Amino acid sequence: MAENQGVLQGIWETVKTVVYALLIAGIFRTLFFQPFWIPSGSMKDTLLIGDFLFVNKMAYGYSYASCPSIRIPALGIDIGADDFCGVFQGDRDAPDYAGGDRLFGGEPDRGDVVVFRHPVTGRDFIKRLIGLPGDQIRMEEGRLIINDEPVGLEPDGLFVEEFEPQGPQGLRPRCSNGAVGLGADCEKRKFVETLPNGVSHSVLDIGRQNFDTTGTYTVPEGYYFFMGDNRDNSRDSRESQTTGGVGFVPYEDLVGRADRVMFSSAGRSMLYFWTWRGDRFFEKID
């Protein structure tokens, strides 16, 4: 009997340890940093498929979107931040809704690389903040225009990568040098874009695309306008939410700022150590 009680006590202690660990991890992820894998090439060459980073949740304060999401498609688990913390979400049908509120809220800066929840699907996206509330944004022949002023744009050579399936999804890159075979060089024209506040970053160009020239987007109060650095391969605020784009993103949907790549793997699994990109470990995100 005493032996059985000892076994049961050991099991109970193990269960308590696991529960406490999960609670601590949940609190840490909710309040401080959220891990994020880069799944697509929309932010090349700033971020590559397979980059792993931590999102700084303290940068902009906290909203319902700060709560963690749990998505495991293989097990049919799809729990969003609104399922955990939807009670804190603003009423988007209210006539006076203006992006929602945040606890200890801080304003993001133009040029920040931000993780946010898609306003419709609730999926986490990562893009660069281009437009602030009240801004007028448009594209003219691939050049970004903010409040009627073209941003700085200087040629910076070519971004070259091998044409091959990338990441767990096996995505193949798009190239400006036409259709190339597996293993060949896939090229994109590279530019340095300088935003009105002096933030400079790399952008890529494949060629003439639908969103190289657009109408004018006027960013509403309490909302933000995001774009990918791989401009011709990014579904972002230039495209409406009803057609799969991002549209304008409410303030309360911001999750946090991405500051540094912690780890990077070019393979289909992080276990393929021979595909690790050691030169990207702990790289600052500009």
Side-chain angles (χ1 to χ4, degrees):
M1 180 67 70
E3 183 176 342
N4 289 339
Q5 288 179 342
V7 171
L8 291 174
Q9 185 175 1
I11 294 173
W12 174 239
E13 290 299 324
T14 300
V15 170
K16 286 197 299 182
T17 300
V18 171
V19 170
Y20 291 154
L22 291 173
L23 286 174
I24 292 170
I27 293 171
F28 183 86
R29 180 172 175 174
T30 299
L31 296 180
F32 302 110
F33 298 98
Q34 173 178 317
F36 190 86
W37 283 97
I38 302 300
S40 74
S42 70
M43 282 295 292
K44 291 178 180 177
D45 64 337
T46 304
L47 297 171
L48 304 181
I49 295 175
D51 282 351
F52 175 78
L53 49 88
F54 283 105
V55 180
N56 180 0
K57 289 191 169 185
M58 298 175 284
Y60 310 133
Y62 305 96
S63 71
Y64 86 96
S66 303
C67 289
S69 299
I70 302 176
R71 291 189 167 94
I72 309 176
L75 299 179
I77 297 174
D78 189 352
I79 304 174
D82 52 340
D83 295 314
F84 284 116
C85 299
V87 66
F88 302 113
Q89 189 174 9
D91 182 2
R92 303 193 181 188
D93 295 326
D96 59 346
Y97 177 80
D101 296 319
R102 306 183 72 88
L103 181 66
F104 308 124
E107 295 296 325
D109 294 322
R110 194 192 310 274
D112 284 357
V113 176
V114 179
V115 171
F116 57 88
R117 297 187 75 244
H118 189 286
V120 174
T121 67
R123 302 290 179 178
D124 286 342
F125 273 56
I126 185 165
K127 306 287 182 185
R128 190 176 298 275
L129 175 55
I130 297 296
L132 303 174
D135 280 346
Q136 292 189 324
I137 309 291
R138 70 179 189 274
M139 297 289 292
E140 289 186 2
E141 298 182 353
R143 188 160 194 161
L144 176 63
I145 313 292
I146 300 179
N147 297 326
D148 293 326
E149 293 291 334
V151 304
L153 193 66
E154 298 293 333
D156 191 33
L158 293 174
F159 172 72
V160 182
E161 59 186 336
E162 185 177 346
F163 185 78
E164 63 177 354
Q166 298 178 352
Q169 300 178 56
L171 301 177
R172 298 187 181 189
R174 299 174 63 196
C175 316
S176 63
N177 55 328
V180 300
L182 286 175
D185 285 347
C186 175
E187 300 176 355
K188 299 175 184 61
R189 289 180 291 273
K190 185 177 177 181
F191 297 85
V192 174
E193 183 176 84
T194 302
L195 300 175
N197 60 345
V199 172
S200 294
H201 59 98
S202 174
V203 294
L204 302 182
D205 176 65
I206 298 171
R208 183 167 293 183
Q209 305 290 323
N210 290 337
F211 288 100
D212 280 354
T213 297
T214 69
T216 298
Y217 307 90
T218 300
V219 186
E221 288 301 315
Y223 289 77
Y224 296 91
F225 189 96
F226 291 91
M227 295 174 67
D229 290 349
N230 191 1
R231 290 286 162 79
D232 294 335
N233 194 34
S234 173
R235 308 195 75 169
D236 48 42
S237 291
R238 293 171 292 176
E239 188 175 358
S240 73
Q241 297 160 3
T242 56
T243 58
V246 169
F248 300 123
V249 178
Y251 180 47
E252 66 175 351
D253 279 354
L254 307 186
V255 175
R257 186 182 64 219
D259 294 326
R260 193 172 296 274
V261 174
M262 304 304 294
F263 172 83
S264 185
S265 172
R268 303 198 67 168
S269 168
M270 65 176 294
L271 299 179
Y272 298 170
F273 63 87
W274 57 91
T275 66
W276 292 357
R277 306 184 185 105
D279 60 329
R280 295 187 63 80
F281 289 11
F282 309 110
E283 182 174 292
K284 186 178 185 299
I285 298 172
D286 294 320

